[in-house]
Amino acid sequence: MIERVCVVGAGVIGSLYAGHLARVADVTCLVRREEHARALNEHGLRVSGRHHFVGRLTAATTPDGLPEPDLVLHCTKTTALEPAAAALAGRFPGATVMTTQNGLGAEEIVRTHGEWPIVSAVTFMSGTKRSDTEVDYVLDTPTWLGPYEDTPFETVDEVAHLLADAGLKSQALPDVRPAQWSKLIFNATVNGVAALTGLPHDFHFSDQEHFGELVHTLMDEGKRVAAAADVDLHDDPWEMNVLATKRGSAHYPSMLEDVEAGRPTEIELINGALVREAERLGVDVPLQAALYALVTGREAAYS
Amino acid sequence: MKIAVVGCGAVGSLFAANLAQLDDVEVWAYDLAHDHVDAINTQGLRLSGAGEVVGRLRATSDPAELPACDFGIVATKSMHTEAAIAACARAFAGGAVCSVQNGVGNEEAIAEHVDRVIRGTTFPAGRIVEPGHVQWDVKGETTIGPYEPKPAPMEEVSRLAEACTRAGLPTAAVADARGPQWRKLIFNAATNPVGALTRLSHGRVCERPPLRRLVTGLVDEGKAVVSAQGIELDADPEELIDHAAKPEVAYDHKASMLQDVEARRETEIDYLNGGIVRFGREHGVPTPLNEMITALVKGLEASW
């Protein structure tokens, strides 16, 4: 029985989980800034958009003194995962830990800091932060969960049911890697191209006149890596791309926002992970390697 | 001898001001920037830096003012070649026209309007600091030769080379000028857009192994397109790239395309990487990296 949940990181995804879960569990939330924690403790977390309510929770900047949770959700960006996971080393030995990060490798980072059973999750829900205490729930697409290493499927299923009870779409899968890789290939391509061109994810990405062809070729390289890794993709990344560009409102991928703000991007666990997997498996991915080199070069030019 | 420089930006100004030093050459300049034209007509065209020169010449934004000329030197950005030569062609009815522009495809556009065409590649570089005043950053060689489908006779090519050399711009007349042109094209196409997309200087691109590998990938595709056309490069573009990365050469140099991107100006991508892709298609050579780079830079332009 999961009664107490600790959500680490309250960006868009963390806020959406924390707000919803506060309706069915005791939620604590670990954030980086003191003022963020104070505001959450004072006002709760307002969810707007697809759902309307205020979730009450306890926020803090350090795990010291927090009650032991049954479930920890890591919701920081991949660039902040290492210190966030390290902060929990030696704590909460009875908890299950769930990773929700983009790309590949979040589970391994968490594992280096503790022996918790890990649930590996991929989420396609999206939203916009209105303030430290309000998040607009935009796309109610599901979270897929699967076991990492020898985590029992019953544990995964229990977490999936908890999310569903909280009002979020979720599905427990025996193996989440097919979904994780679909999103990996999609993100590596769309985020990388957006970050370099400054274009939001719009019609240019599926239109043959613009770079539909480039996006298609990049995704084909990714699919060859997935095939070599024996991953039978859950969704075709190209179809995900076409569908997303037909939605009407252009999405600003986080990697584009990061580049424009001069912040570190998630390139390493997304494009870097894909290119390293390709190397390990002996698959030639010249265009994905070029994309990875260009975005890391773009980051190097910030200073 | 009458010579008209078509497109009097930085490179055009280097030719115009230096050629104006010769007693036996009357120099004209055609350019659409009125302030630059007016400054040239009132104060002359001043170069400083690699050489201190003031050239007295006639500048105009009205092609009808150009007299009948022996030579044209086209130095516009590549995307403006067609419009510029169409406007000025009448002045070259009895003359030969030489491109000293970047990329490939300019001679083809000139040949649509002019009978005798000269293929050219030039390395001198600079930038306009104010109207009528150009900073001359780099001295360098120019190589010219007959444009094969509509050639100027070798004797005419040599006359132009001799005049430029005498004016202080060392210029070689050769029978086949494609080698130097493709060497410079491959150099530019492999380095300029990588700098533009990452915002890194040439030296910083070269010291990052993954980016340096991308540069080599782009060079290799260009070399394959060159071989398929039976062109022999006069030198390996890789040597030029490594040489330019040295601190004392061009480590800190911001590629012109990066300057274009920072100023949100249309780039010459269609004539650089886009040109390699086009010639590659014609000769059945795949160029996936150059296609990718072309698409990314065009995407960047579309985002403005």
Side-chain angles (χ1 to χ4, degrees):
Chain A
M1 185 68 183
I2 302 170
E3 291 177 345
R4 200 168 271 144
V5 180
C6 175
V7 176
V8 183
V12 171
I13 297 299
S15 297
L16 287 172
Y17 282 127
H20 282 88
L21 286 168
R23 306 202 286 187
V24 296
D26 283 340
V27 171
T28 56
C29 199
L30 274 176
V31 296
R32 193 171 42 81
R33 288 173 296 120
E34 287 287 352
E35 72 209 69
H36 193 179
R38 266 199 307 275
L40 285 171
N41 286 324
E42 196 174 323
H43 305 291
L45 185 52
R46 177 177 296 280
V47 175
S48 57
R50 289 183 178 266
H51 297 152
H52 287 271
F53 60 87
V54 175
R56 293 287 164 186
L57 45 81
T58 305
T61 56
T62 145
D64 295 337
L66 286 185
E68 167 137 6
D70 306 304
L71 175 67
V72 174
L73 264 62
H74 273 295
C75 300
T76 61
K77 291 184 72 172
T78 62
T79 45
L81 178 60
E82 167 60 35
L88 299 189
R91 297 174 193 263
F92 310 155
T96 295
V97 174
M98 176 169 122
T99 57
T100 62
Q101 278 74 16
N102 280 328
L104 298 179
E107 300 86 349
E108 283 78 3
I109 291 174
V110 169
R111 174 58 77 232
T112 58
H113 297 289
E115 292 304 313
W116 314 278
I118 294 177
V119 171
S120 179
V122 185
T123 183
F124 288 92
M125 62 180 184
S126 76
T128 310
K129 280 275 289 273
R130 299 272 176 230
S131 71
D132 274 352
T133 56
E134 181 175 353
V135 62
D136 187 19
Y137 186 19
V138 179
L139 286 183
D140 62 345
T141 19
T143 299
W144 289 316
L145 307 85
Y148 177 70
E149 292 174 347
D150 48 7
T151 302
F153 185 74
E154 297 70 50
T155 306
V156 178
D157 206 38
E158 195 187 354
V159 177
H161 276 102
L162 180 77
L163 292 175
D165 290 347
L168 296 169
K169 289 181 183 160
S170 67
Q171 192 183 354
L173 302 167
D175 182 3
V176 83
R177 289 197 317 151
Q180 205 167 30
W181 274 78
S182 291
K183 191 176 184 191
L184 170 75
I185 296 166
F186 174 88
N187 277 346
T189 304
V190 170
N191 289 13
V193 170
L196 289 172
T197 59
L199 286 171
H201 189 209
D202 63 9
F203 67 93
H204 289 92
F205 287 71
S206 49
D207 186 340
Q208 290 302 314
E209 261 180 58
H210 297 92
F211 28 75
E213 198 179 319
L214 171 63
V215 167
H216 199 274
T217 312
L218 283 163
M219 286 176 168
D220 274 348
E221 284 189 357
K223 281 152 82 170
R224 281 201 295 277
V225 183
D230 265 335
V231 173
D232 187 12
L233 293 176
H234 192 281
D235 290 275
D236 182 84
W238 172 253
E239 282 165 22
M240 291 164 69
N241 169 56
V242 171
L243 196 67
T245 56
K246 276 187 184 154
R247 244 184 340 243
S249 65
H251 172 66
Y252 277 78
S254 62
M255 203 177 280
L256 168 56
E257 294 183 331
D258 289 340
V259 161
E260 290 188 342
R263 284 191 301 253
T265 70
E266 295 193 296
I267 188 82
E268 276 311 321
L269 287 200
I270 301 178
N271 302 66
L274 182 62
V275 170
R276 283 188 293 272
E277 279 297 287
E279 264 165 33
R280 187 177 68 80
L281 297 160
V283 182
D284 200 23
V285 290
L287 301 191
Q288 286 287 359
L291 196 61
Y292 175 42
L294 287 167
V295 177
T296 47
R298 182 80 181 78
E299 279 190 64
Y302 287 166
S303 45
Chain B
M1 183 193 312
K2 288 194 179 74
I3 300 180
V5 171
V6 176
C8 200
V11 170
S13 293
L14 298 181
F15 277 90
N18 281 305
L19 284 166
Q21 306 304 305
L22 303 178
D23 292 335
D24 56 336
V25 175
E26 178 182 328
V27 178
W28 284 74
Y30 167 75
D31 199 275
L32 294 180
H34 291 285
D35 50 356
H36 191 46
V37 163
D38 292 345
I40 293 171
N41 285 330
T42 52
Q43 300 144 39
L45 176 53
R46 185 155 77 89
L47 308 182
S48 50
E52 302 291 330
V53 174
V54 178
R56 297 287 165 186
L57 55 118
R58 287 287 307 279
T60 180
S61 299
D62 176 6
E65 281 189 22
L66 293 178
C69 290
D70 302 281
F71 290 104
I73 294 175
V74 181
T76 63
K77 289 245 180 195
S78 300
M79 53 278 199
H80 301 136
T81 306
E82 167 60 32
I85 197 63
C88 299
R90 190 195 47 84
F92 308 117
V97 175
C98 178
S99 166
V100 291
Q101 297 157 280
N102 275 333
V104 281
N106 291 297
E107 290 84 2
E108 285 77 0
I110 293 168
E112 295 284 315
H113 301 276
V114 175
D115 288 334
R116 302 201 301 282
V117 179
I118 301 172
R119 186 191 289 283
T121 302
T122 195
F123 281 91
R127 62 198 151 84
I128 297 183
V129 276
E130 59 187 335
H133 181 197
V134 167
Q135 170 73 25
W136 188 356
D137 289 328
V138 186
K139 287 199 169 192
E141 303 269 328
T142 300
T143 310
I144 62 178
Y147 169 67
E148 305 72 16
K150 272 191 160 184
M154 202 59 207
E155 179 273 327
E156 203 171 20
V157 176
S158 299
R159 264 179 73 211
L160 179 60
E162 184 273 331
C164 291
T165 303
R166 213 151 33 87
L169 296 168
T171 301
V174 299
D176 185 350
R178 295 179 302 167
Q181 186 175 42
W182 277 84
R183 173 171 61 114
K184 186 180 182 195
L185 166 66
I186 291 173
F187 171 80
N188 281 334
T191 57
N192 271 1
V194 176
L197 288 167
T198 60
R199 320 289 197 268
L200 291 170
S201 73
H202 178 69
R204 292 194 66 200
V205 165
C206 290
E207 69 195 9
R208 301 181 64 84
L211 281 180
R212 187 63 183 82
R213 277 196 294 278
L214 169 59
V215 168
T216 293
L218 291 164
V219 168
D220 288 347
E221 288 182 3
K223 284 179 179 171
V225 175
V226 161
S227 308
Q229 296 175 84
I231 298 172
E232 227 170 282
L233 292 177
D234 58 339
D236 189 343
E238 291 279 5
E239 285 169 21
L240 199 58
I241 290 164
D242 287 333
H243 177 71
K246 290 180 187 159
E248 68 278 16
V249 184
Y251 179 93
D252 284 320
H253 178 68
K254 278 187 176 182
S256 64
M257 195 181 287
L258 173 49
Q259 296 177 39
D260 288 340
V261 164
E262 287 180 341
R264 304 200 156 193
R265 278 190 302 257
E266 191 186 348
T267 71
E268 293 187 295
I269 192 74
D270 276 331
Y271 302 86
L272 297 175
N273 305 73
I276 291 175
V277 171
R278 213 160 50 241
F279 278 83
R281 276 198 193 127
E282 277 171 31
H283 294 86
V285 179
T287 55
L289 288 172
N290 278 285
E291 276 182 48
M292 172 178 182
I293 293 291
T294 306
L296 289 174
V297 173
K298 291 179 87 71
L300 193 56
E301 291 177 359
S303 77
W304 298 333

